[in-house]
Amino acid sequence: MGETLLSIGEALALVLGRVQPLPAEDVPLAQAAGRVLAEDARATVDLPPFPASAMDGYAVRSADLPGPLTIVDRSAAGRPASRTLTGGEAIEISTGAVVPDGADTVVPIEHIRESDGTVEGDPTAAGQNVRPRGGDLMEGATVITAGTRLGAAHIGALAAAGIASVRCGRAPRVAVAVTGTELRAPGDPLARGEIYDANGSILETQLRSAGAVVERLPPTEDDAAATRATIERGLYADVLLTTGGVSVGVHDLVRAAEAELGVEEIFWRVSMRPGKPIAFGVRGATLVFGLPGNPVSTLVAFELFVRPALLALQGVAAPAPPFLPGVLGRPTRQVERDSLLRARLRVDGDAVVLDPLVGQESHMIAQTATADTLVLIPSGSGELPAGSAVRYLTL
Ligand code: AMP
Ligand code: MG
């Protein structure tokens, strides 16, 4: 046909170019998992806040070793010794307790011989087994930088640094509409010609994992007025996702309805397989994705375009899909478009090996459910031999 379709990279750049990050709001730390930091978060204390022992043992002056030294006090976590240490003395200490003033080292219990209120210890250099005040981070320093999506270690670092709430990009509101007269809800009886709606469930799951607040719109028949009404209802959202009805058939009504409602189409169709008929447009600040009807196409198009858009809306610094390097486990034919094959990952020695599944058709959601990765096979007319370097995305 000679038509030149956008590449995946070009299409993604067009999507990200239309993203206006959502305003920031205060989020209590307990609700901040998965949210994206809008400003650098700074430590309210030195970390650790005091010189702390890394071992159970005795705090001493290194110059006094091996002793014998008189045990004069104890320092436990949360219960510091009541006195400072002077020459010839030892203070029993536990992990995480304050190293008393006057002591410069901690001799671990394994290197101590105790008798009668005194200890002898093996030679231990100054500073050994002592976690210096501020050794992890200084007060006022950045704990986590803006643009970070918060996981367990981030939340833990913020808590350790005394931060009770953080500024985060607002969670995107996303409306989801599946279109197709043939669709029924799982659990309902199926008449001849009908199928269960998989896309609504796929998208809701992906959206939650991307930090979105989801509204499912009522399933919509292939009827122009109904399609228009549903899309109109969803245009309040930050992002509107439709599935189905974006191909070239007479029942593909989504793009026409969007045009009537003032959605500016940015692109339609991308050189990819599956997912080629994807449409993307904007109305005001609302991003409008017309995802293809086949469930695997919807799932793949979400990962390539919608998830990055959602992350960018929340302020993620690097929202593009995180493709990683691996090698093909078996020979794989190229096609005229970049294809994203469903595959299973295995580790062989030092290599990450990707085995494309046998059932690669875009309606095969059940086959896809056995995959853990998408392998990007660049367009071409040859066959990539086993061992070829490829890039993959974890599902
Ligand atoms: P369409 O793009 O509307 O022509 O849909 C392409 C294919 O995907 C058709 O076989 C549809 O029946 C199927 N399909 C569309 N929407 C869904 C859905 N929500 N769940 C499962 N399959 C769907
Ligand atoms: Mg349809």
Side-chain angles (χ1 to χ4, degrees), residues 271-284:
S271 178
M272 60 188 279
R273 191 162 98 172
K276 173 181 169 186
I278 182 175
F280 171 67
V282 295
R283 198 187 76 168

Side-chain angles (χ1 to χ4, degrees), residues 208-291:
R208 287 191 196 293
S209 74
V213 176
V214 183
E215 188 199 358
R216 296 269 291 265
L217 300 174
T220 302
E221 294 194 12
D222 295 315
D223 166 83
T227 303
R228 200 164 50 239
T230 295
I231 289 169
E232 188 163 25
R233 210 177 130 175
L235 282 170
Y236 78 90
D238 300 310
V239 179
L240 169 60
L241 302 181
T242 62
T243 77
V246 287
S247 296
V248 289
V250 285
H251 300 295
D252 294 330
L253 305 166
V254 167
R255 294 173 58 235
E258 288 176 353
E260 284 174 36
L261 290 164
V263 176
E264 178 198 351
E265 187 165 272
I266 307 298
F267 63 75
W268 175 50
R269 300 200 286 195
V270 174
S271 178
M272 60 188 279
R273 191 162 98 172
K276 173 181 169 186
I278 182 175
F280 171 67
V282 295
R283 198 187 76 168
T286 301
L287 308 178
V288 183
F289 291 90
L291 302 174

Side-chain angles (χ1 to χ4, degrees), residues 184-190 196-197:
R184 290 293 168 268
D188 286 357
L190 283 187
Y196 290 121
D197 164 27

Side-chain angles (χ1 to χ4, degrees), residues 39-387:
E39 299 169 359
D40 291 355
R42 297 181 184 284
T44 68
V45 292
D46 291 335
L47 268 186
F50 49 84
S53 179
M55 302 287 262
D56 293 329
Y58 285 84
V60 302
R61 301 195 323 193
S62 53
D64 287 350
L65 291 170
L69 306 171
T70 309
I71 304 169
V72 295
D73 201 350
R74 79 185 298 220
S75 178
R79 292 204 181 284
S82 52
R83 62 197 293 294
T84 60
L85 182 129
T86 55
E89 294 180 345
I91 290 180
E92 189 189 344
I93 195 165
S94 57
T95 304
V98 178
V99 175
D101 287 345
D104 65 5
T105 191
V106 171
V107 184
I109 195 81
E110 300 86 337
H111 299 163
I112 286 284
R113 291 157 302 282
E114 188 185 342
S115 68
D116 239 1
T118 67
V119 287
E120 284 184 45
D122 295 344
T124 308
Q128 284 287 295
N129 308 316
V130 178
R131 302 166 175 166
R133 175 174 177 162
D136 191 8
L137 201 69
M138 299 296 279
E139 179 181 342
T142 298
V143 192
I144 307 292
T145 51
T148 305
R149 189 154 191 237
L150 300 175
H154 305 119
I155 301 277
L158 292 163
I163 295 164
S165 80
V166 281
R167 299 285 291 170
C168 293
R170 177 165 71 65
R173 288 187 283 262
V174 182
V176 177
V178 296
T179 74
T181 304
E182 73 278 30
L183 301 178
R184 290 293 168 268
D188 286 357
L190 283 187
R192 184 171 166 80
E194 295 176 343
I195 59 170
Y196 290 121
D197 164 27
N199 293 349
S201 302
I202 293 170
L203 290 175
E204 187 162 355
T205 308
Q206 288 174 305
L207 285 164
R208 287 191 196 293
S209 74
V213 176
V214 183
E215 188 199 358
R216 296 269 291 265
L217 300 174
T220 302
E221 294 194 12
D222 295 315
D223 166 83
T227 303
R228 200 164 50 239
T230 295
I231 289 169
E232 188 163 25
R233 210 177 130 175
L235 282 170
Y236 78 90
D238 300 310
V239 179
L240 169 60
L241 302 181
T242 62
T243 77
V246 287
S247 296
V248 289
V250 285
H251 300 295
D252 294 330
L253 305 166
V254 167
R255 294 173 58 235
E258 288 176 353
E260 284 174 36
L261 290 164
V263 176
E264 178 198 351
E265 187 165 272
I266 307 298
F267 63 75
W268 175 50
R269 300 200 286 195
V270 174
S271 178
M272 60 188 279
R273 191 162 98 172
K276 173 181 169 186
I278 182 175
F280 171 67
V282 295
R283 198 187 76 168
T286 301
L287 308 178
V288 183
F289 291 90
L291 302 174
N294 279 303
V296 182
S297 310
T298 281
L299 182 131
V300 169
F302 183 96
E303 293 303 329
L304 294 189
F305 304 112
V306 184
R307 187 185 296 279
L310 293 167
L311 296 179
L313 280 169
Q314 295 170 82
V316 166
F323 279 96
L324 295 169
V327 297
L328 274 178
R330 61 176 174 80
T332 304
R333 237 174 356 104
Q334 295 174 293
V335 294
E336 75 286 0
R337 287 174 259 146
D338 287 352
S339 51
L340 288 128
L341 300 185
R342 279 68 70 202
R344 272 198 290 265
L345 180 153
R346 64 188 156 90
V347 174
D348 183 5
D350 287 341
V352 172
V353 182
L354 301 145
D355 295 315
L357 301 181
V358 174
Q360 291 288 344
E361 287 171 69
S362 59
H363 66 286
M364 291 184 164
I365 188 62
Q367 297 302 314
T368 296
T370 68
D372 50 19
T373 44
L374 295 175
V375 179
L376 177 63
I377 304 294
S379 63
S381 53
E383 183 179 81
L384 299 182

